[in-house]
Amino acid sequence: RDMSENAVGIYLGKSTQQPEGMRILNNTVFSTAGYDIKIESGLAIYIANNVFDQCDKGNIVDGSTNPLGNINFINNWFGSKSGASMSTMLDCSGTLIESSFTDNRFVCRDAVCLSLGPLCQGISLKGNGFAARLSNGSSFTGPAVKINKANHIFGTGNYFNTASGIVSLSETD
């Protein structure tokens, strides 16, 4: 496998016809020099029981070219390697609607665990665990979850293990 700086473990690229109804189940991905998962196209995608670990650049859900809908992350592990170059573990940008994050675990070093951009709407965050730490073991002072102008975000039963800045909101309803 390609372990260059732009390598991607699981990739759903930009396309004129989006994949629908895909299941990404029970995988272990260690992209120590790139991205573990990158989704740029898709509808009704179920991503469950995967381990995305030792990631360097983060993971991307990008609906800027193809709007994404009903993308569901369930019971996954997201971890970064020590000294990773990412600023965000899972960065959701562009159009992402009616999607969910349920019972996932995010263990982030020197990074925001989850970021939802301005065109994300109808997002459910349930039962997730967010642990943000610095590589030296002390607590990360940034937010574990960053919500930037996203709309209709619902959260319940999430666990945060950070020093401060559990959730950062910017012009959100």
Side-chain angles (χ1 to χ4, degrees), residues 24-87:
I24 300 171
L25 307 170
N26 304 316
N27 297 287
T28 300
V29 181
F30 295 98
S31 292
T32 58
Y35 306 91
D36 284 342
I37 186 166
K38 189 172 185 178
I39 299 173
E40 296 176 321
S41 180
L43 301 168
I45 297 181
Y46 181 80
I47 303 157
N49 304 319
N50 298 288
V51 174
F52 301 109
D53 204 359
Q54 298 303 308
C55 188
D56 182 54
K57 295 216 179 224
N59 301 288
I60 296 174
V61 176
D62 182 2
S64 60
T65 299
N66 297 103
L68 304 173
N70 197 16
I71 310 295
N72 301 290
F73 287 88
I74 301 165
N75 197 37
N76 297 289
W77 169 272
F78 293 91
S80 61
K81 72 177 189 176
S82 183
S85 63
M86 74 178 79
S87 60

Side-chain angles (χ1 to χ4, degrees), residues 75-140:
N75 197 37
N76 297 289
W77 169 272
F78 293 91
S80 61
K81 72 177 189 176
S82 183
S85 63
M86 74 178 79
S87 60
T88 303
M89 173 64 74
L90 183 55
D91 187 12
C92 301
S93 61
T95 302
L96 175 65
I97 59 170
E98 304 302 325
S99 296
S100 68
F101 299 87
T102 306
D103 296 324
N104 298 288
R105 295 298 169 260
F106 294 83
V107 179
C108 311
R109 293 183 183 101
D110 309 314
V112 171
C113 294
L114 175 64
S115 177
L116 300 172
L119 298 177
C120 295
Q121 61 182 358
I123 308 296
S124 171
L125 305 171
K126 293 189 268 185
N128 299 290
F130 299 96
R133 297 265 179 230
L134 295 176
S135 292
N136 66 11
S138 60
S139 292
F140 179 64

Side-chain angles (χ1 to χ4, degrees), residues 123-161:
I123 308 296
S124 171
L125 305 171
K126 293 189 268 185
N128 299 290
F130 299 96
R133 297 265 179 230
L134 295 176
S135 292
N136 66 11
S138 60
S139 292
F140 179 64
T141 57
V145 177
K146 183 177 180 183
I147 301 173
N148 182 18
K149 300 181 184 178
N151 293 295
H152 308 291
I153 308 301
F154 170 78
T156 186
N158 296 292
Y159 172 76
F160 297 91
N161 183 2

